Amino acid sequence: MALKQALPRVTAEGSESQITPQKMPFLARLWRDAPLLVMVAPAAIVLLLFTYIPLLGSVVAWMDYVPFLGFTGSDWVGWDNFTALFSDQAFWSAVWNTLQITFLQLLLFFPVPILLAVLLNTVAVPMAKNFVQSVIYLPHFLSWVIIIALFQQVLGGAGVVNRFLITHGLTPFEVMSNPDTFKLLLTTQAIWKDAGWGTIIFLAAIAAIDPGLYESATMDGAGAWRRFWHITLPGMRPIIVLLLILRLGDSLTVGFEQILLQRDAVGPGSAEVLDTFVYYNGVVDGSWGTATAAGLIKGVVSLFLVLAANKIAHRFGEEGVYKR
Amino acid sequence: MSNPGRPVWLGKPKPVAVALKALALVLISAVVIFPFLVVVSTSLATKKQIDANGGYVLWPTQISFEAYHQIFNGTQVARSIVISVGVTVVGTAFSLFCTVLAAYGLSRRGSLFQRGLLSFVLLTLLFGPGMIPVYLMVKQLGMLDSYWSLIIPGAVSAFNIVIVRGFIQGIPKELFDAARIDGAGEWRILRSIVLPLSKAVIAVVGLFLAVGYWNNYFSPLLYLNDTQKWPLQLVMRTFVLQNNVTSTAHAIPGYVAPPAQSVQMALVAIATLPILCVYPFLTKHMSKGMLTGAVKG
């Protein structure tokens, strides 16, 4: 959302400064604005140190990096890290897992907040609405460690559900450590944690729809379903498209913390995604070069995905994340 | 049945529809609340009842605070709680310091280098360095195994700066002009005008930052090798998750037997409690404040 707000403003400022040309000499401006520059300094230094310089540090992807030798002492190896990566079965398996999880979440997770928002919007009793909202927003603020502990307690081998099944003579099912259903488990956890929170933005979109539209549609004989289809849904469309684009741009990012916590339980075969691949190869195994290369590929592809998704949105006449 | 939420022209709702809707809402709320009930009940139950029930309790027949006593008397967990509180407080303060200063520093259009610096900040929204280069940077700076590694690398987010900056730009220009005519410098304006007027947005951003620091478990996993320095989330992961799941668990010094189920659940409850405390403020400001503005903007 911030992007949408901020980027057009940057371009707007350019034209504004042309209207009021700065006639002051540079040194006078420097003297006048020095306090402002000092104020920006702490944030700028943090961003420089931990965003921009590490971006340059991505050159490790073309190095046989040895921590002991450092940046200057390690050897350059050209594209070796990349070729090694592309011939690594585990890398492609991580890519495949990542895409599968993204697809599952688009299919199962993405519509849930929209439907929940529509449902909540039809609740006419303010008390009930507020109560349900406060309840379903809550899990968003809990750490993944807590969320998974809760799932463990309810669905785990010794959890509530399985105990219930066992005491009633039924076969228990193990979902917390079953590689076959792991991706569904991830999606379920994501829905439990964030679907409620996700309704906020859709509720705001619905609230912005002119109530007069509903009234005249009803007068013209439109039932609840047609009002939803012809008024509510079109009213939410820009925000749905925007969030879809953001999600598509993030295709290669899937719940890193969430998966890292459970990878050991189901094994890397079904749980290794790009981010965990980078973590285990780099930090755990010390293959700094290949891990950085994998991270770099992810970053570059993600950037192109965002740009491409925006292009498509513009084609369809939507605003997208930034304007043309 | 007339209430403010329902316009007259809609007519009377069908009883079946109302019942179905109510049922759906109750079910949704129950799905969210149920796990918390299990956790709190189990943490307060006696060992006997937990064992008899096979690992969990839905409603303790007898309240026992034994698990909480054990946690606050044991060194590892008690220390991790202190560490988490410290990192959260210092981290939030540091982040807010950087964010608010930068937001004001970038808020005046046409000031020297303003456009360039703003782009410098905003570009970080589009791409970021991977995990490894940042890790190497932290290592290079000698911050491994230091609490600063949990605070500084993620302290500045362009998103937060944009939010606070937007709010500051909404303050009437006349206030700034008047202050300037009265001879106030930028620091004075920040202190006497900007800070008092943007208390609300600073509070919300601060709360979100605090929740983030409290919940963070990956940074300590990445940067802290010394288990003595682990914050609550990481200790909880070891005690609660890796106990049940599999064990590539790091051995924790002074950790003998797996803690009882009730202790694990008490840990989860303690980690949740601070979130519950700030939660009313979060929702109050969040749902009507920042996000709604962003959508309409």
Side-chain angles (χ1 to χ4, degrees):
Chain A
M1 300 322 94
L3 216 57
K4 192 185 170 190
Q5 267 192 316
L7 289 186
R9 196 173 281 154
V10 183
T11 47
E13 272 154 26
S15 50
E16 198 172 282
S17 58
Q18 277 170 353
I19 301 166
T20 50
Q22 298 289 339
K23 290 267 169 60
M24 282 170 88
F26 178 78
L27 276 178
R29 284 182 74 196
L30 183 64
W31 179 248
R32 187 195 66 184
D33 293 336
L36 295 179
L37 294 175
V38 173
M39 287 178 193
V40 182
I45 290 170
V46 171
L47 287 180
L48 185 73
L49 280 179
F50 295 102
T51 302
Y52 283 95
I53 295 180
L55 268 175
L56 295 177
S58 300
V59 293
V60 168
W62 288 274
M63 277 180 164
D64 177 20
Y65 183 78
V66 183
F68 173 69
L69 298 172
F71 283 96
T72 42
S74 299
D75 290 330
W76 294 93
V77 292
W79 295 91
D80 283 8
N81 288 326
F82 290 89
T83 46
L85 198 61
F86 289 141
S87 57
D88 184 355
Q89 199 55 46
F91 172 71
W92 292 112
S93 153
V95 172
W96 180 231
N97 280 331
T98 309
L99 293 178
Q100 276 180 303
I101 293 169
T102 292
F103 178 74
L104 259 184
Q105 299 206 339
L106 272 180
L107 199 70
L108 301 177
F109 177 89
F110 193 79
V112 178
I114 302 175
L115 298 177
L116 260 180
V118 172
L119 173 69
L120 276 174
N121 188 56
T122 61
V123 176
V125 188
M127 269 251 301
K129 189 176 171 184
N130 287 341
F131 174 77
V132 176
Q133 276 181 298
S134 322
V135 168
I136 62 177
Y137 292 168
L138 178 63
H140 171 77
F141 296 100
L142 301 177
S143 71
W144 275 113
V145 183
I146 293 178
I147 304 276
I148 291 158
L150 294 177
F151 266 76
Q152 189 76 252
Q153 194 61 18
V154 175
L155 296 177
V160 178
V161 171
N162 277 331
R163 281 289 152 192
F164 180 85
L165 291 176
I166 290 169
T167 50
H168 288 75
L170 300 162
T171 31
F173 61 99
E174 180 51 81
V175 280
M176 294 302 288
S177 55
N178 184 349
D180 300 328
T181 53
F182 182 63
K183 294 185 180 78
L184 276 174
L185 175 71
L186 287 180
T187 311
T188 312
Q189 289 168 341
I191 291 175
W192 191 83
K193 186 177 197 281
D194 282 325
W197 181 248
T199 59
I200 286 187
I201 203 153
F202 295 113
L203 281 171
I206 295 176
I209 298 174
D210 178 9
L213 289 176
Y214 288 105
E215 190 169 355
S216 26
T218 315
M219 293 304 157
D220 290 344
W225 174 249
R226 299 195 63 177
R227 287 198 299 270
F228 167 71
W229 190 253
H230 291 290
I231 302 174
T232 313
L233 216 50
M236 293 162 82
R237 201 185 60 190
I239 212 71
I240 293 177
V241 171
L242 177 72
L243 291 185
L244 199 59
I245 288 172
L246 288 174
R247 186 65 194 89
L248 281 175
D250 258 354
S251 288
L252 298 183
T253 307
V254 281
F256 170 63
E257 294 202 341
Q258 178 192 10
I259 294 166
L260 188 67
L261 281 169
Q262 304 177 88
R263 181 180 173 273
D264 289 346
V266 293
S270 65
E272 191 84 294
V273 293
L274 269 173
D275 283 327
T276 55
F277 178 87
V278 170
Y279 174 71
Y280 276 96
N281 270 267
V283 181
V284 178
D285 294 341
S287 320
W288 301 103
T290 28
T292 309
L296 195 62
I297 291 172
K298 187 199 152 203
V300 172
V301 173
S302 295
L303 183 62
F304 277 105
L305 282 177
V306 177
L307 298 178
N310 254 289
K311 260 246 152 74
I312 297 170
H314 291 157
R315 273 287 144 72
F316 284 104
E318 302 288 350
E319 251 183 41
V321 185
Y322 56 83
K323 292 190 179 121
R324 260 170 289 191
Chain B
M1 228 183 83
S2 77
N3 62 54
R6 192 173 183 87
V8 194
W9 47 264
L10 255 183
K12 279 213 158 124
K14 288 191 203 103
V16 182
V18 172
L20 276 179
K21 222 184 279 175
L23 184 69
L25 293 180
V26 168
L27 273 181
I28 291 167
S29 307
V31 164
V32 175
I33 295 174
F34 182 70
F36 293 104
L37 177 75
V38 174
V39 165
V40 174
S41 299
T42 308
S43 78
L44 289 173
T46 53
K47 191 169 170 7
K48 221 161 61 191
Q49 198 192 353
I50 297 174
D51 287 347
N53 230 343
Y56 72 94
V57 167
L58 285 183
W59 198 255
T61 46
Q62 199 188 341
I63 301 273
S64 147
F65 288 100
E66 185 52 40
Y68 293 89
H69 275 296
Q70 210 174 320
I71 284 177
F72 285 107
N73 288 334
T75 48
Q76 171 86 32
V77 179
R79 184 175 51 227
S80 76
I81 293 173
V82 174
I83 292 170
S84 278
V85 170
V87 168
T88 303
V89 170
V90 177
T92 307
F94 180 74
S95 286
L96 272 185
F97 174 80
C98 294
T99 305
V100 174
L101 280 183
Y104 180 58
L106 293 170
S107 68
R108 175 120 36 78
R109 289 164 198 194
S111 69
L112 190 65
F113 301 137
Q114 190 250 7
R115 285 192 63 196
L117 283 170
L118 188 62
S119 310
F120 180 84
V121 170
L122 290 181
L123 275 178
T124 62
L125 286 171
L126 272 184
F127 54 82
M131 177 196 314
I132 305 292
V134 177
Y135 175 83
L136 293 177
M137 186 71 194
V138 169
K139 200 172 166 182
Q140 204 86 355
L141 292 173
M143 278 169 36
L144 284 188
D145 269 329
S146 143
Y147 293 126
W148 291 110
S149 65
L150 312 184
I151 292 173
I152 301 180
V156 176
S157 118
F159 186 77
N160 289 337
I161 293 181
V162 166
I163 287 173
V164 179
R165 176 177 172 270
F167 194 92
I168 292 175
Q169 286 181 327
I171 297 174
K173 238 184 144 115
E174 290 75 18
L175 287 177
F176 293 101
D177 292 341
R180 225 160 266 140
I181 289 167
D182 288 345
E186 300 296 350
W187 292 98
R188 182 69 201 272
I189 292 176
L190 179 69
R191 208 177 64 228
S192 310
I193 295 178
V194 174
L195 286 184
L197 286 177
S198 39
K199 256 188 238 151
V201 75
I202 293 173
V204 176
V205 171
L207 283 174
F208 271 82
L209 284 167
V211 170
Y213 279 112
W214 179 260
N215 282 342
N216 189 359
Y217 94 95
F218 182 63
S219 301
L221 178 68
L222 193 56
Y223 300 129
L224 303 183
N225 291 316
D226 183 357
T227 54
Q228 301 282 310
K229 290 182 175 165
W230 277 5
L232 179 60
Q233 300 289 340
L234 209 46
V235 171
M236 187 165 59
R237 160 182 171 269
T238 314
F239 277 13
V240 181
L241 294 184
Q242 300 196 326
N243 228 354
N244 288 343
V245 190
T246 56
S247 48
T248 50
H250 303 251
I252 294 184
Y255 168 72
V256 201
Q261 199 74 16
S262 61
V263 177
Q264 296 183 19
M265 292 305 108
L267 252 181
V268 175
I270 290 173
T272 313
L273 189 67
I275 306 286
L276 282 179
C277 291
V278 298
Y279 184 59
F281 303 99
L282 283 171
T283 43
K284 189 179 138 209
H285 290 288
M286 197 59 200
S287 43
K288 63 177 162 201
M290 292 160 22
L291 259 180
T292 349
V295 176
K296 283 175 184 159

